[in-house]
Amino acid sequence: MNEIPGPIISDQWILSKRGNKNIVDPRRPYAWLVEKERTASGRIEDTAIIFLTNRECPFHCLMCDLWKNTTDRSVAKSAIPDQIEWALEQMPEAKHLKLYNSGSFFDVRAIPQEDYKGIASLVSNFETVIVESHPKLIDEKCLHFRDILKPDLHVALGLETVNTDILLRLNKQMTPEDFSNSVRFLTQHGILSRAFILLKPPFLNESEGILWAERSLDFAFSTGVECCTVIPVRAGNGAMDLLAEKGYFSPPDINSLEEVLEYGLRLNLGRVFADVWDLGQFSTCNKCLERRTARLTEMNLSQKIIGRVKCTCK
Ligand code: SF4
Ligand SMILES: [Zn+2]
């Protein structure tokens, strides 16, 4: 099973390349943090993120490493509200809250529906609650959760790429049409959605990576999302490392992330963010990494294009 299968990459192949999961405690979130984010209304405000510990996502996307901090079985009823309560006690106040669960909030084997009420009551002081979901799991459950939630509900959906050959090989098990149907459903019910877009998934070179991230931004906004986050693709989950070894994947360059963010901001169709986590992986120049990271962070917050970093590397 060491060959690169294609064109369809199966669950079985992806799972066979995995290493071990981290040890997690189902009574605690595996991480939490507070960061500044530009809101839909244009203010820069604190946003808390709680990374909930729960059952692994039933999808097995080629590029995903979120399974590392998940359990094999569903967590007990009330475990999710308990995790949220515990995290909120630890963290400073914030206006907005992201509940990210390494999968889909609306996957009932990850987050039991019986817990929605308890969750809603714990987060009632926030202005906005943002959850993530696979587009195929968007249905009436979202409306039920929205109805008992005091804050506004926003939903983040992985579009990944609109290159349909690549999307198929990512094993995401959805089409761009599935994505647009889910955004339409949410929009019709007054729920804002945001898209996750990959920069340079495997099987693309640098310029194709930029091109398809830009086409994906175009598509995402055309479906009605209010915000897009561009995520540079990383290795580290086993399958991606093997693809890198065989020459089918190399991480994107930080310059490409800057270029795609500039493109998205020029569209002026909604907020566009670059994921700035651990950007050292995407740069070979220590002289400008810090300045480039600061520039991307500033553009995320201001939603304006600022002067490029000058360096001998480029
Ligand atoms: S749907 Fe999301 S969490 Fe699930 S495997 Fe795919 S990328 Fe990972
Ligand atoms: Zn440099």
Side-chain angles (χ1 to χ4, degrees):
M1 290 258 289
N2 267 335
E3 297 294 302
I4 306 299
I8 294 176
I9 296 186
S10 66
D11 278 23
Q12 193 195 8
W13 186 84
I14 293 165
L15 291 170
S16 73
K17 304 298 170 233
R18 279 185 179 181
N20 293 330
K21 289 184 175 181
N22 298 324
I23 295 167
V24 288
D25 179 350
R27 294 164 310 159
R28 294 280 180 264
Y30 70 87
W32 56 263
L33 58 91
V34 177
E35 64 180 13
K36 300 254 179 247
E37 188 171 283
R38 172 102 173 189
T39 65
S41 58
R43 293 188 298 270
I44 296 169
E45 291 176 337
D46 284 336
T47 301
I49 312 178
I50 303 176
F51 297 92
L52 298 165
T53 302
N54 61 193
R55 184 190 172 110
E56 181 184 325
C57 177
F59 298 93
H60 300 114
C61 300
L62 177 63
M63 68 298 176
C64 185
D65 64 358
L66 295 170
W67 51 268
K68 287 184 179 174
N69 292 305
T70 61
T71 55
D72 293 338
R73 301 204 178 139
S74 298
V75 297
K77 191 173 163 298
S78 297
I80 300 294
D82 288 350
Q83 290 182 36
I84 295 170
E85 187 171 23
W86 181 87
L88 293 177
E89 280 166 10
Q90 320 299 310
M91 47 180 32
E93 280 192 14
K95 288 208 169 172
H96 313 279
L97 175 67
K98 292 177 181 169
L99 293 174
Y100 284 174
N101 68 312
S102 305
S104 299
F105 187 88
F106 301 109
D107 168 9
V108 291
R109 294 199 303 172
I111 303 204
Q113 255 184 297
E114 306 95 283
D115 282 345
Y116 286 5
K117 217 169 159 191
I119 296 170
S121 103
L122 285 164
V123 303
S124 61
N125 286 336
F126 289 94
E127 284 181 16
T128 318
V129 169
I130 302 145
V131 301
E132 58 186 351
S133 181
H134 188 288
K136 281 197 168 167
L137 297 180
I138 296 298
D139 57 20
E140 303 293 323
K141 287 190 295 300
C142 313
L143 308 184
H144 168 53
F145 185 58
R146 188 268 319 264
D147 288 345
I148 58 171
L149 198 64
K150 196 167 155 231
D152 286 340
L153 176 65
H154 295 187
V155 181
L157 303 162
L159 168 61
E160 321 303 357
T161 180
V162 286
N163 179 317
T164 47
D165 292 338
I166 302 295
L167 190 56
L168 186 69
R169 299 192 99 189
L170 292 181
N171 197 36
K172 182 88 187 177
Q173 297 174 51
M174 66 155 215
T175 62
E177 199 187 357
D178 292 325
F179 177 90
S180 62
N181 288 341
S182 299
V183 173
R184 192 175 315 119
F185 176 86
L186 291 167
T187 308
Q188 276 166 357
H189 293 95
I191 300 171
L192 288 186
S193 46
R194 53 169 74 189
F196 293 127
I197 288 168
L198 298 178
L199 173 60
K200 202 178 170 211
F203 315 111
L204 295 181
N205 65 29
E206 200 70 33
S207 59
E208 291 167 336
I210 293 170
L211 176 81
W212 284 105
E214 293 179 352
R215 293 295 78 82
S216 303
L217 283 164
D218 295 340
F219 178 83
F221 282 121
S222 77
T223 66
V225 303
E226 181 278 322
C227 172
C228 291
T229 300
V230 181
I231 302 174
V233 177
R234 303 167 165 86
N237 70 351
M240 292 292 295
D241 302 82
L242 184 69
L243 292 179
E245 208 179 285
K246 303 281 180 193
Y248 293 100
F249 170 70
S250 60
D253 191 284
I254 193 168
N255 289 283
S256 305
L257 184 60
E258 293 179 272
E259 194 172 326
V260 173
L261 179 59
E262 286 175 21
Y263 175 86
L265 294 177
R266 270 197 303 271
L267 290 176
N268 201 22
L269 292 171
R271 291 176 293 163
V272 183
F273 299 128
D275 176 18
V276 294
W277 179 66
D278 199 13
L279 287 181
Q281 290 187 36
F282 308 106
S283 166
T284 48
C285 179
N286 286 334
K287 280 193 286 180
C288 61
L289 172 61
E290 214 172 293
R291 283 181 289 140
R292 287 185 193 282
T293 305
R295 175 175 185 255
L296 285 164
T297 305
E298 179 55 33
M299 293 202 294
N300 280 347
L301 290 176
S302 67
Q303 291 294 289
K304 290 193 171 68
I305 299 170
I306 56 176
R308 292 201 173 166
V309 170
K310 292 193 174 66
C311 184
T312 48
C313 68
K314 183 94 178 168

